[in-house]
Amino acid sequence: MTPRAVTDRFSHMRIGVLTSGGDAPGMNAAIRAVVRGVSAEGGETIGIRRGFGGLIDCLHAPLGPRDVANILQRGGSILDTSREPRFHDPEIRRAAVATLEREGIDALIAIGGSGTQQGAHCIQEEWGGCVLGVASTIDNDLGGTDTSIGFDTACNTALEAIDRIRDTANSLDRLFFIEVMGRHAGFIALEVAVGGGAEAVLLPEIELDTGWLVEVIRSNHERGKISCIVVVAEGAHPGGARGLLHEIEDPLESLGLAGSADARVTILGHIQRGGNPTVRDRVLASRLGMAAARAAHAGKRGLLFGVRGNVVCETSFDIALAEKKEIDRTLLDMVNTLAG
Ligand code: F6P
């Protein structure tokens, strides 16, 4: 099938939009930008609820410019989201494509992280219409972009918590292990470790060396730094921050350092996914949503919208999904050096 967008690009286009995977602050700002961007191009937006699940279960309705009023500042997603295991089944994906065709949708814009963009890529391969992605995940582990919608807000939320914990850690001379989100990626952990002046940071990308960590805590102690903050990405230890403390408790106690009485674990968890997006995330979401809306009207397909430097960029799904985003080793060294 030839996409209508290519053959008749100035006709009234119907553009589907969905959010999928883990929600991220700024998704609503992106939805708003898509809807109003599409409207400015003379098109109509169809909001698909609950991610790809909504395509399978036919949960969709028109979304006009006034329907997205007053959502720019809200966390979560007005369209809801889902992690859709059914989408691995090609038969189910065919049902999703059938919904797009039955509803006369010309283009689909998928807002989300790597799982979402993989789903979008699959649909693009199986459907003649245009599929475009907008990079949005608090984990910031998606290729094809320097940063993704939600990352800045999640970091600021975690950082505020770390600052508060620092107050009490200092007052009671305690060792704190603070677990931040990131099962497979340590970008939040690294960012907040630098921003929060952590004494150490543990990331899933770097092999865990508990001997090294005990030595860092010991040498801090020797230099008079009794309280200490260790930022632990969720996936850095199989048991998370709790498992890590459990593993090093004995070595710490045997050195006369913080044992269970003086060490505490705080798991920040889903607090990092909610809340009002920061100005950076609102602006990023507005830019990417608008760019995707325009690209859909220009008949572009198979592209992820992200940002390089301060410039909006488009990258084909296969290239973006193949890109392995690397941890910035200079930031990692900085945490260790600046712990002082
Ligand atoms: O959306 C990304 C993320 O928040 C990861 O940082 C985290 O590991 C995971 O989602 C948690 O997923 P769920 O909310 O499904 O438990």
Side-chain angles (χ1 to χ4, degrees):
M1 180 185 124
T2 312
R4 192 147 66 94
V6 175
T7 55
D8 185 9
R9 65 177 53 178
F10 298 112
S11 68
H12 172 90
M13 286 184 74
R14 273 165 78 82
I15 308 225
V17 62
L18 59 80
T19 52
S20 154
D23 53 296
M27 277 184 163
N28 281 326
I31 294 168
R32 171 181 177 268
V34 167
V35 171
R36 293 192 174 167
V38 166
S39 171
E41 297 283 335
E44 178 191 13
T45 307
I46 308 298
I48 296 151
R49 288 198 44 231
R50 295 201 205 137
F52 293 111
L55 277 181
I56 303 162
D57 301 326
C58 299
L59 304 172
H60 49 77
L63 208 53
R66 298 312 313 149
D67 297 327
V68 292
N70 205 20
I71 66 166
L72 172 76
Q73 74 281 17
R74 283 168 48 195
S77 166
I78 60 157
L79 290 174
D80 298 336
T81 172
S82 67
R83 302 195 192 277
E84 189 46 77
R86 290 180 293 170
F87 224 63
H88 296 296
D89 179 347
E91 196 59 39
I92 293 287
R93 287 204 300 275
R94 272 193 287 280
V97 166
T99 302
L100 290 166
E101 288 182 347
R102 200 174 43 248
E103 295 303 317
I105 291 176
D106 302 286
L108 175 67
I109 298 177
I111 304 168
S114 50
T116 302
Q117 305 311 335
Q118 270 156 22
H121 186 33
C122 285
I123 296 202
Q124 185 61 97
E125 300 215 309
E126 294 166 22
W127 182 46
C130 307
V131 184
L132 300 168
V134 168
S136 177
T137 162
I138 66 161
D139 286 349
N140 198 26
D141 57 346
L142 184 59
T145 188
D146 290 348
T147 190
S148 51
I149 299 164
F151 175 62
D152 187 61
T153 307
C155 287
N156 279 291
T157 303
L159 193 62
E160 187 187 341
I162 291 171
D163 288 347
R164 287 167 188 255
I165 291 168
R166 174 75 77 184
D167 291 343
T168 175
N170 275 342
S171 302
L172 282 160
D173 278 344
R174 275 180 173 156
L175 167 59
F176 265 88
F177 293 85
I178 304 176
E179 184 182 299
V180 298
M181 272 192 161
R183 258 195 299 248
H184 307 292
F187 295 99
I188 295 178
L190 187 53
E191 200 83 356
V192 300
V194 174
E199 276 66 35
V201 60
L202 303 175
L203 313 174
E205 295 87 345
I206 309 286
E207 199 182 336
L208 180 61
D209 180 350
T210 51
W212 168 82
L213 180 60
V214 170
E215 175 50 25
V216 167
I217 296 167
R218 191 203 61 74
S219 84
N220 273 314
H221 201 272
E222 198 175 80
R223 294 197 312 280
K225 290 187 84 174
I226 314 293
S227 84
C228 188
I229 302 266
V230 179
V231 174
V232 184
E234 221 181 333
H237 186 282
R242 270 191 221 293
L244 174 70
L245 174 58
H246 187 66
E247 192 178 328
I248 64 170
E249 213 160 26
D250 287 347
L252 284 178
E253 282 197 55
S254 69
L255 288 168
L257 303 169
S260 52
D262 300 308
R264 293 287 185 275
V265 171
T266 303
I267 297 171
L268 299 183
H270 289 79
I271 285 171
Q272 295 157 96
R273 282 238 296 265
N276 297 352
T278 58
V279 66
R280 283 187 69 171
D281 275 331
R282 295 182 200 194
V283 172
L284 178 64
S286 302
R287 292 176 78 192
L288 300 190
M290 181 98 182
R294 284 197 175 136
H297 276 85
K300 293 190 177 180
R301 58 200 310 271
L303 299 172
L304 173 71
F305 283 82
V307 71
R308 292 283 190 209
N310 196 26
V311 178
V312 172
C313 64
E314 45 186 58
T315 309
S316 68
F317 283 134
D318 46 359
I319 291 178
L321 290 169
E323 183 185 326
K324 169 102 185 72
K325 227 165 168 175
E326 300 290 341
I327 282 293
D328 183 344
R329 297 269 173 171
T330 59
L331 283 185
L332 193 56
D333 292 344
M334 202 181 278
V335 173
N336 301 329
T337 308
L338 296 185

